[in-house]
Amino acid sequence: VTTDAEPALTQDLVALLRSGGRRVTSPRLAILRELRQAGGHVSAHHVYQRVRPELPGISVPTVYATLELLVELGLARRVEAGARATLYDSRTDPHGHAVCRRCGAVADIPASVEEEPLLRAAQGDGFRAESAELLVRGLCCACR
Amino acid sequence: VTTDAEPALTQDLVALLRSGGRRVTSPRLAILRELRQAGGHVSAHHVYQRVRPELPGISVPTVYATLELLVELGLARRVEAGARATLYDSRTDPHGHAVCRRCGAVADIPASVEEEPLLRAAQGDGFRAESAELLVRGLCCACR
DNA sequence: ATTGGTGCAAATCCTTTGCAATAGC
DNA sequence: GCTATTGCAAAGGATTTGCACCAAT
C-alpha cells in the first residue's frame, strides 16, 4: 500500500470530497489511483479486478458509483464506447476518442474541440450541459 | 402496406442494397420507413414495437442487424446515449446531441462540427474512421 | 440452386436496485 | 449519534449468439 506515489492527486480528491460534504473512503482513493495508473480508457470491470487485491471486499456497485462520482467531480471523463461498455478516462483535457466498432478498442484523437461553445450551444430548453465528448467510430487496424 | 409514401427514399435504399450485392427485404424497407417517420432518436426496441403491426413475425435480432446496416449504408447514425440504450437517428447531416444523464432524453444541438477534419485526425495507426459524433452530457430541464 | 436474411429462444453481459451493516464525520 | 457509503445478492435490460428455415437473387 504505497501512500506516497501521487500525493498531490490524492490531495485533490480529498479536498474535493471535503468541500462537497462527502466522505473520504478507501474505495474512492484506491479507484482514483487505479484509474490514473491505468492511464488509458478502462471499464468498470477492469477497475474492479485491479482494485481487488488491495481491497478484497470491494463490490461492483461501489466501483460504478465511485467512477460516476469521479466524473461529477471532474477527475475523470466518460467514454461512450458503445453498448458493450462505458469506459472511464483519467485524462480530463479536451480530446476526442476513436472507437473501433468491432473490438471496442479506444484511442485518443489529438484533435481538440473547444468545449465552451459546444456546452453553450446545448443549453437550449433549460438543458444544463456538463461535459462534451467527441467520438469517431470506425474500424481499428486489427479489425479491418 | 403503403408503397407510395416516400418512394424516393425507398429507392435510395434499394439502390444502395443492390449496388452492394445485398438483398432487398421487407424488414429493411419497413425499418427505414419507420425510422424516418419517427423523425427523432429511437431505440431498437421502439422500432421493433412500431414495425410489428406491419410485419407481425419480425424478430428483435433482425431489427438490430438492420439498424446497424442502415448506419453502414449512411442512411442513419448511431447516438451513444449511454449504457441504457443505443439510439438511431435518421438525420445524417452533421449535428450534435444533448443527452440527459438521468432520463436519457436526447435533443439535437444546432452546433455543426465539420466532420472531415475530425475523421482525418482519427486516421492514425491504420484506423479507418467512418463517422463522427458529438455528445454533450448533462441534465435536461425536467431532471434538474 | 445458392446463400444471405430471417425468426426463434436463450445466453451473455453490463449496470442498477433494495436493503442491512458499516464506517466517516 | 447521524447518515453517507458500502457490500451482498439479485434483478433488470439491452444486445448478441447459434442454428434451422426461408426467400431473394
Side-chain angles (χ1 to χ4, degrees):
Chain A
V1 186
T2 50
T3 33
D4 51 20
E6 315 90 353
L9 303 178
T10 296
Q11 289 316 311
D12 278 357
L13 176 55
V14 171
L16 280 169
L17 288 172
R18 288 250 159 75
S19 76
R22 313 187 109 123
R23 297 178 181 172
V24 178
T25 66
S26 306
R28 291 176 174 176
L29 297 174
I31 288 172
L32 176 61
R33 184 163 354 113
E34 168 53 31
L35 194 59
R36 285 185 156 143
Q37 270 183 16
H41 321 89
V42 295
S43 65
H45 180 256
H46 176 97
V47 171
Y48 175 64
Q49 297 290 6
R50 298 267 298 173
V51 168
R52 275 223 280 188
E54 188 182 338
L55 297 172
I58 198 168
S59 69
V60 169
T62 296
V63 173
Y64 277 95
T66 303
L67 288 171
E68 212 52 44
L69 174 64
L70 293 178
V71 170
E72 269 186 48
L73 296 178
L75 298 175
R77 295 175 77 91
R78 289 174 65 106
V79 182
E80 304 288 351
R84 288 175 178 167
T86 299
L87 301 182
Y88 293 85
D89 188 353
S90 60
R91 275 187 62 184
T92 54
D93 61 303
H95 66 284
H97 293 112
V99 181
C100 176
R101 72 155 196 265
R102 191 154 161 281
C103 72
V106 175
D108 286 329
I109 297 180
S112 72
V113 176
E114 288 306 323
E115 279 207 15
E116 288 311 321
L118 292 177
L119 294 181
R120 232 174 299 119
Q123 306 283 7
D125 305 322
F127 185 86
R128 173 190 292 178
E130 292 172 348
S131 65
E133 183 180 353
L134 179 63
L135 283 177
V136 174
R137 292 176 53 86
L139 285 176
C140 76
C141 184
C143 289
R144 290 213 272 149
Chain B
V1 185
T2 50
T3 33
D4 52 18
E6 314 89 353
L9 304 179
T10 296
Q11 289 315 311
D12 279 357
L13 176 55
V14 171
L16 280 168
L17 289 171
R18 288 250 157 76
S19 76
R22 310 187 112 124
R23 298 178 180 174
V24 178
T25 66
S26 307
R28 291 176 175 177
L29 297 174
I31 287 172
L32 176 60
R33 182 159 0 110
E34 169 53 30
L35 193 61
R36 285 186 156 143
Q37 269 183 16
H41 321 89
V42 295
S43 65
H45 180 255
H46 176 98
V47 171
Y48 175 64
Q49 297 291 7
R50 297 267 299 173
V51 168
R52 274 224 279 190
E54 188 182 338
L55 297 172
I58 198 169
S59 70
V60 169
T62 296
V63 172
Y64 277 95
T66 302
L67 287 170
E68 212 51 46
L69 173 64
L70 293 178
V71 171
E72 271 186 46
L73 296 178
L75 297 176
R77 296 176 77 91
R78 287 175 65 108
V79 181
E80 304 288 351
R84 288 177 178 165
T86 299
L87 301 182
Y88 293 85
D89 188 352
S90 60
R91 274 188 63 183
T92 55
D93 61 304
H95 67 285
H97 292 112
V99 181
C100 176
R101 72 154 195 266
R102 191 154 161 280
C103 72
V106 175
D108 287 328
I109 297 180
S112 70
V113 175
E114 288 305 324
E115 279 207 16
E116 289 312 321
L118 293 176
L119 295 181
R120 231 175 298 118
Q123 307 282 8
D125 306 320
F127 185 86
R128 173 190 293 180
E130 293 172 346
S131 65
E133 183 180 353
L134 179 63
L135 283 178
V136 173
R137 292 176 51 86
L139 285 176
C140 75
C141 184
C143 289
R144 290 214 271 149

